[in-house]
Amino acid sequence: MDTNVTGADARNLAMTRRIPAPPAQVFEAWTQPDRIKQWFGPYGMTTPEAEVDLCPGGFHRTLMRDADGKEYPNLMAIDEVAAPHRLVLRVVDDSCGPLVGATGTLNFEAEGEGTRLSVIWRHPTEAMRAAHEEMGFVKGWGETLDKLTAHVLASPTPCPGAAPPAPEHGWLHRLLGEWRYETECSMGPDKPMERATGTERVRSLGGYWVIGASEGEMPGGAMARWTISMGFDPVAKRFRGTFIGSMMPHMFVYDGRLEEDGHTLTLDTEGPAMSGQGMARYRDVVEMRGEDERVLTSQVLGEDGSWTAFMTSVFRRIG
């Protein structure tokens, strides 16, 4: 999940996304009807209609359509415009569900060469906030921001034959930023758990790839560096990636899928067996536990066909 349900105010829901594009470009994607129609809505939704009267007292109207043809009108009043850094929308009727009076504030803050987009929904009552969450705030807004990210990262001059970034590329960009990890690793039966710490920096490469560069301790105390690349193949509809590190000559090649829960990425690979003899099958499971935390669980396939976890790393955002 790329969300933060605020604790200070029980009537608020919030979400943040880091997008490697300038605020003006991201703001335009939210406010230009022709662009809104290209990305707006969760996975599987299209938006055949969009109108925007971009001024205080104006409106922001969309019509979404699902794969079965069911339509979802969405009319909001515009309470505030401060292009390209702030847009405040207010629900004015029940076409969006029981949310009349709720306001959504979108802040487009420059962060390096990109944008930190924060979405804060304020509700008149705690009951409305709970209803909004029950309607699928986390999943719906998370997927919508994935599609927005993919849209703004599309190159105006793509390589011949290259497909534009898919929503799954947008999902991978939830990982952008600076992280600190804490690892626990099993070193074998009847041996104590080993612990290690380090840092990771994840950046975007062309909108199609995210690259994570890590440095820190290995279980046992040795220092190491490693790099992970991760992308999405829109033809095979599979996540692809690699892992290389200073501690070994083997390159791990990932093949993976995003689980139905929308926040768990399962990656399968093959590498040297821990026994030192032959090869073994491994599985890394990446679970997003919020905007600022994710957990990586590494597993190995045993001779009996069962998976055994041998390492868990908790990543917490530091930037």
Side-chain angles (χ1 to χ4, degrees):
M1 299 181 297
D2 188 358
T3 186
N4 174 34
V5 178
T6 63
D9 189 338
R11 294 178 296 174
N12 290 356
L13 290 168
M15 186 170 289
T16 300
R17 188 66 59 88
R18 291 158 177 82
I19 302 175
Q25 186 176 347
V26 183
F27 186 89
E28 288 171 2
W30 266 100
T31 56
Q32 294 184 356
D34 287 346
R35 297 190 64 180
I36 293 169
K37 288 188 282 188
Q38 297 178 51
W39 67 269
F40 192 79
Y43 293 3
M45 290 278 191
T46 60
T47 302
E49 297 181 16
E51 291 183 279
V52 178
D53 179 18
L54 189 60
C55 64
F59 61 87
H60 188 289
R61 185 188 74 84
T62 58
L63 177 70
M64 297 185 295
R65 183 177 296 151
D66 66 19
D68 296 324
K70 184 177 179 180
E71 295 184 340
Y72 302 83
N74 187 352
L75 176 64
M76 289 184 284
I78 296 177
D79 285 350
E80 182 181 342
V81 180
H85 298 296
R86 185 176 173 89
L87 180 66
V88 181
L89 307 172
R90 175 169 45 84
V91 179
V92 295
D93 62 31
D94 59 4
S95 62
C96 303
L99 301 177
V100 176
T103 59
T105 300
L106 286 73
N107 293 309
F108 306 79
E109 303 175 49
E111 187 172 80
E113 297 181 354
T115 301
R116 178 185 174 95
L117 172 61
S118 63
V119 180
I120 305 171
W121 275 97
R122 297 179 171 87
H123 306 84
T125 66
E126 292 184 24
M128 184 183 292
R129 179 261 191 204
H132 196 176
E133 187 173 25
E134 182 66 25
M135 288 165 58
F137 172 84
V138 171
K139 189 173 188 296
W141 273 90
E143 292 180 353
T144 297
L145 296 186
D146 290 346
K147 291 173 66 178
L148 167 65
T149 301
H151 170 74
V152 299
L153 293 179
S155 172
T157 56
C159 184
E168 289 83 357
H169 292 110
W171 188 95
L172 287 171
H173 283 70
R174 300 183 185 197
L175 303 174
L176 296 191
E178 306 280 343
W179 303 81
R180 184 180 302 280
Y181 71 81
E182 298 178 354
T183 294
E184 288 190 345
C185 183
S186 171
M187 304 304 289
D190 302 322
K191 292 185 179 180
M193 299 290 287
E194 294 281 355
R195 291 174 172 79
T197 61
T199 59
E200 179 187 46
R201 177 177 180 264
V202 183
R203 59 185 176 86
S204 174
L205 182 63
Y208 291 107
W209 302 90
V210 295
I211 311 295
S214 299
E215 181 176 9
E217 301 172 326
M218 293 289 292
M223 298 298 291
R225 295 179 179 177
W226 56 96
T227 299
I228 296 176
S229 65
M230 191 61 56
F232 179 75
D233 182 339
V235 176
K237 298 191 180 302
R238 301 287 292 181
F239 288 82
R240 310 292 196 196
T242 61
F243 173 101
I244 57 173
S246 63
M247 73 294 289
M248 66 176 67
H250 182 80
M251 173 187 285
F252 290 86
V253 178
Y254 286 121
D255 175 83
R257 65 187 183 277
L258 186 63
E259 304 297 342
E260 291 187 4
D261 62 18
H263 57 81
T264 303
L265 180 63
T266 300
L267 302 166
D268 291 311
T269 189
E270 185 178 76
M274 296 181 186
S275 65
Q277 302 295 319
M279 303 290 284
R281 290 177 59 190
Y282 295 94
R283 175 170 289 171
D284 284 351
V285 179
V286 181
E287 180 188 0
M288 299 298 296
R289 290 189 176 176
E291 172 189 340
D292 298 325
E293 181 176 299
R294 72 182 197 271
V295 177
L296 168 65
T297 304
S298 295
Q299 306 172 17
V300 62
L301 184 65
E303 294 182 359
D304 62 355
S306 63
W307 292 95
T308 300
F310 63 90
M311 185 173 71
T312 300
S313 299
V314 180
F315 291 76
R316 294 184 174 89
R317 188 183 297 280
I318 57 175

